[in-house]
Amino acid sequence: FRFEGDELRLFPGLVAVVLAMLALAGRRHRRTVLIYLALMLVAAAMSLGFNNPVYRLLYSHVWPMQGFRAPARFAVLAGCALAVLAGFGFIYLQERFRTTRLGRGLLVGVLVAIGLECGSAPMRLEELPRQVPDVYRFLRMLDRAVIIELPCVDWDLAPVYMYWSTQHWHHLVNGYSGFSPPDYAETLMRMQHFPDERSIQRLRSLNVRYIVVHETFYRPRDHAALLVRLGQRQDISSVGKFRDWTGVAQVFELR
């Protein structure tokens, strides 16, 4: 639990590890088990990325290795190999206890153990209204353009902006993914002082025409100051004020 993010966790669960260890105790499938064990160990080592000297060496001399964006996802291969090993471990248990009363409930017991250990409830979900907010209904009526929604430095809001973009399908500056290109990071940096000249130049270089400001996510004092600065610019005009999914949003046009 010290590590945040799914890609920083390597422990696959106690049940899977125990079953995989039991696979080594069997003799019928020893060769296949050793192959999957080797695959699991190699994949787990590769998932460490640059923390693994072998990975650094391969990265420097084998050019396809430079194409992997997230080395941690080699852990997926390790998990798949471990799943196969766990299956062989279960086969070993079946053969060992086939004629006993324990063997009859073995499958149910293992499935229950896996379910209890790997349960992921409750899931963290973002509740959004089913009805499309007025601001996005308005944007839907406009000609195709590039828009940006403010505030844009909050990563929790970016997925919501992208979700609502499916209601108007304009080009959206705000993005959310596992990878942020350098130019997007520069955009976020410049927008911290919006609407100064550097941020406006950045928006012009991106062909932004409409700016949506969501009042709810600003402190009242900061929001009022932002509206004052926007009102002082000759190249930005207010298009209208509409309801968004939490409160009020104001749309501006950059001429």
Side-chain angles (χ1 to χ4, degrees), residues 136-208:
Y136 298 112
R137 292 178 181 269
F138 171 74
L139 292 174
R140 184 192 299 170
M141 296 186 296
L142 302 176
D143 294 334
R144 182 62 62 88
V146 180
I147 71 171
I148 186 171
E149 302 201 44
L150 304 181
C152 64
V153 294
D154 192 336
W155 284 103
D156 291 333
L157 288 175
V160 181
Y161 293 154
M162 292 184 67
Y163 171 78
W164 288 122
S165 72
T166 62
Q167 299 298 326
H168 56 72
W169 294 114
H170 291 290
H171 296 293
L172 183 66
V173 172
N174 307 84
Y176 177 84
S177 178
F179 171 74
S180 297
D183 59 341
Y184 185 60
E186 183 180 353
T187 299
L188 295 181
M189 182 185 67
R190 291 197 183 189
M191 291 303 296
Q192 292 179 2
H193 303 287
F194 177 80
D196 63 351
E197 286 301 325
R198 291 192 68 208
S199 61
I200 295 299
Q201 290 176 6
R202 186 63 173 175
L203 295 185
R204 291 193 186 281
S205 68
L206 296 172
N207 297 318
V208 172

Side-chain angles (χ1 to χ4, degrees), residues 18-64:
V18 171
L19 288 175
M21 293 174 64
L22 289 174
L24 297 175
R27 295 185 177 182
R28 283 185 53 194
H29 310 282
R30 176 59 62 89
R31 182 178 179 182
T32 306
V33 166
L34 292 178
I35 291 174
Y36 277 100
L37 176 63
L39 175 62
M40 182 190 70
L41 294 176
V42 170
M46 296 291 283
S47 71
L48 299 176
F50 286 104
N51 295 302
N52 179 1
V54 176
Y55 187 93
R56 291 201 300 267
L57 181 65
L58 292 174
Y59 184 88
S60 300
H61 298 89
V62 183
W63 68 264

